[in-house]
Amino acid sequence: MSLVRQIRKAAVLGSGVMGSGIAAHLANIGIPTLLLDMVPRELTEDEKRKGLTLEDKSVRNRISQTALSKLLKQKPAPLTSKKNLALIESGNFEDDLERLKDVDWVIEVVIENLAVKKSIFEKVDQFRKPGSIVSSNTSGISIEAMAEGRSEDFQKHFLGTHFFNPPRYLKLLEIIPTKATDSAVFAFMKEFGENVLGKGVVEARDTPNFIANRIGTYGLLVTVREMLKGGYSVGEVDSITGPLIGRPKSATFRTLDVVGLDTFVHVAKNVYDQVEGDEQEIFRTPDFMQKMLEKGWIGSKSGQGFFLKKGKEILELNPETLQYEERKKLQAPSIEMAKQIKGFANKMKALVYSEDRAGQLLWNIVMPTLVYSAQLLGEIAETIVDLDRAMKWGFGWSAGPFEIWDAIGIAQSVARLEQEGIAVPQWIKDFVAAGHETFYKEENGVVSYYDNGNYKQVIINPRVIHLQTIKKQKGVIKKNSGASLIDIGDGVILLEFTSPNNAIGLDIVQMINAAVDEAEANYKGLVIGNQGKNFCVGANIAMMLMEAQDDNIFELDFVIRQFQNAMLKIKYSAVPVVVAPFNMTLGGGAEVSLPAARIQATTETYIGLVEAGVGLIPGGGGTKELYMKALKGLPKGVSVDIQQVANKVFETVAMAKVSTSAAEAHETNFLNFADGISVNPDHQLYDAKQVVLSLYEQGYTPPVREKVPVVGESGYATLLLGAEAMRLSGYLSEHDMVIAKELAYVLSGGKLPFGTEVDEQYLLNLEREAFLRLISMPKSQQRMQHMLIKGKPLRN
């Protein structure tokens, strides 16, 4: 259900790391936000020196203002652009609560203390405007208890909104309604959370730690106990509880170091204080962790925790002796076997049913977590879908508990659990007895989930396009080894890259040509996008290096020409082509994006022409296209210094700059005023498709080929002066300077008078020739080889 409501302004009460992070997330999506905190009771030494008093506004707003200053220094950055800080205004609880009458959403993020929260809400109730939404970001205090004693309108508009830290990057938002929450308010917040905040929203029940933290904390503590019981080391556990089983790289103990042991223990104690019996015992903090807390060894923020970095070496903590030792990895036949096996289900079966040390550990930590999830279903979450999504979106698991159970086989695992004397929830036994095999079923691309004896269709936001589902339902129009062409409905087709790392080779180039031809002949337009880990990390370096080392310059010349022509085909297509880049969009990935009619990025689009890092310059028209995009973005009719534009593009490409967000990509001209940003990455392909349809409906015509003004010989000299200054400052190596000279020559247009207008093809020829000269050089080949082997640039 959608309400006729908008959140135009918000207030965040509490400016700690979480509160300021939520304020930053709101600012990132353009919502002006008031950030309030307590009034200080004492002056700092600096304030005393300045002659300030406790009545000065700068002193009274110091806590929230300091939090805003920290936003600019935090890593990872909470703000997508430093400019967004202007949307957050600092204030305090004594002077500014009356300003809550102007906001549509008040979010409380103060200390985890019920009495403090209730006193804050009592004041909020006095000043808020009727109909405004109020929520708490508590990680576990009862939402019902907070609302007690408040006005009827407050209670109707009150709920829990539990963000995960850091709010900009973590997808999960748990929404917890009370018995009094208006169902329309809940529906609006769910829709707002997904479509505007860009979150994955799940409904949680008002229980200790809600869904993700309840299951995640349980799983972590079970892992710690099994480590101690089985004599495994911290490093051994982390070596098999990460990507091997579909969990993040930080695995178990590295995750605890990042989160902070103090935070983790607080979350665990919250459950411990509210449950009983065997469950309570699981949430008791182990003795060695208490000793770590006493010593202040709480993880990354204190410099040591379960791991300690000494120079380049990382040491692991021995929980028995509390001494740091050499980090170990668990070696077992099942691990090697799982690495060779394809498919998550096959890997998990090979691991958990193995009898070696890895198999025993994984069985003993995975199965209790699955059983616990089944026991809590209905209590903490209404459906298995909500529970699974919470773990995937909040803890970065590739599969939720019930999806994992499907993967390893429910009947087989239940039989073993019962054989081992482990209590299995009655509903699971009934499920197996009824002959059901999996909690999820898929027919014709439609997924259903088990719910109280029946299978119900999984409800998906209409803005989510699943390419795998479409391919199962409709098949593909065309495909080769590097790409597939898919009909995504409403007269729009999509070109999906499918090569390893989505690296661009001739196969993708061929499919770009075929896709544009198909779109022009039979469709309204084309989207270029995919749902891989990254959009595209560049061209196929291995293939290019092999050709260069074999001195096949003629072959490379052919490939570059083909790539350049394909980029022009995208640019001058008779129907709109919209590119949807996300995450890493590097080198060739950026070159595919730049000539499109529009780019539909996500908030986390990291785009850059990084060829200098592998000893090259862009060869597919990237330099030319970035320069033209920068010129196009300038105001019409205003006198423009093209040297300044060339300088900026030169610096961006020579320094291999990569945007840290789509907002920053606007500042470096990879995106312009007409390009879009999808806050929810799951909605990106839908949004891109809508852009295609909108352009088509407006009577899209391809751009007219225009000549490009260049800075010529004098501009070339200016660019080289800048490069020489960077070399003398230590920013550029000797070979960097060689690359910079080639780049400057291309960008300036070569030996021409300043302001000469040239054809695009002229610049493309310069790019291709410079690229071929550089790839023939031993030092460039060394850089390419180093990148392939080490995964990072070589400075030579």
Side-chain angles (χ1 to χ4, degrees), residues 44-173:
T44 64
E45 291 304 315
D46 186 48
E47 286 166 344
K48 288 175 187 173
R49 279 194 298 273
K50 289 178 179 173
L52 298 172
T53 72
L54 288 170
E55 296 309 308
D56 282 298
K57 189 176 179 183
S58 63
V59 175
R60 293 176 73 76
N61 290 353
R62 185 217 309 148
I63 294 174
S64 56
Q65 190 57 48
T66 301
L68 292 187
S69 304
K70 286 180 180 174
L71 287 176
L72 298 173
K73 300 169 190 169
Q74 277 175 36
K75 295 277 171 68
L79 295 164
T80 55
S81 167
K82 290 179 179 179
K83 292 176 182 175
N84 295 341
L85 196 65
L87 283 169
I88 311 174
E89 196 178 347
S90 63
N92 67 73
F93 293 152
E94 292 179 19
D95 303 331
D96 299 296
L97 282 177
E98 64 178 31
R99 297 173 68 188
L100 297 184
K101 69 181 189 301
D102 300 322
V103 309
D104 306 300
W105 181 20
V106 180
I107 313 159
E108 170 274 312
V109 202
V110 302
I111 188 169
E112 289 287 79
N113 178 296
L114 179 59
V116 173
K117 289 178 186 288
K118 289 194 77 164
S119 72
I120 288 280
F121 287 131
E122 187 178 358
K123 292 171 185 168
V124 169
D125 208 356
Q126 294 171 34
F127 294 107
R128 64 179 280 274
K129 65 181 177 187
S132 62
I133 290 168
V134 184
S135 70
S136 172
N137 183 66
T138 181
S139 58
I141 292 178
S142 170
I143 307 296
E144 295 280 356
M146 286 184 223
E148 284 172 7
R150 300 280 55 81
S151 66
E152 185 184 349
D153 189 78
F154 181 104
Q155 292 194 7
K156 279 176 66 176
H157 294 86
F158 180 69
L159 29 64
T161 50
H162 182 214
F163 288 82
F164 274 61
N165 195 29
R168 171 182 162 185
Y169 300 96
L170 283 191
K171 184 171 178 174
L172 180 61
L173 174 62

Side-chain angles (χ1 to χ4, degrees), residues 642-660:
I642 60 171
Q643 184 67 57
Q644 282 190 353
V645 177
N647 292 351
K648 186 176 179 183
V649 172
F650 176 75
E651 186 182 327
T652 300
V653 181
M655 301 298 286
K657 287 185 177 179
V658 177
S659 70
T660 61

Side-chain angles (χ1 to χ4, degrees), residues 120 179 181 310 343 438 478 630-631 724 770:
I120 288 280
K179 293 185 183 75
T181 306
K310 276 201 170 179
T438 57
K478 288 178 183 172
L631 289 174
E724 184 61 26

Side-chain angles (χ1 to χ4, degrees), residues 727 730-738 783 794-796:
R727 188 185 71 80
Y731 286 109
L732 297 182
S733 69
E734 185 187 330
H735 193 56
D736 287 331
M737 199 61 196
V738 172
R783 287 193 177 194
L794 170 71
R795 294 295 303 278
N796 59 354

Side-chain angles (χ1 to χ4, degrees), residues 521-562:
N522 301 309
Y523 293 89
K524 295 176 180 178
L526 169 70
V527 172
I528 299 178
N530 63 73
Q531 291 174 327
K533 185 180 174 186
N534 296 295
F535 173 71
C536 175
V537 294
N540 188 332
I541 300 176
M543 180 274 289
M544 292 194 299
L545 177 61
M546 195 166 59
E547 297 290 355
Q549 287 174 334
D550 289 346
D551 212 20
N552 284 340
I553 300 304
F554 177 80
E555 181 72 24
L556 281 169
D557 181 72
F558 171 77
V559 171
I560 299 303
R561 285 176 191 271
Q562 292 293 310

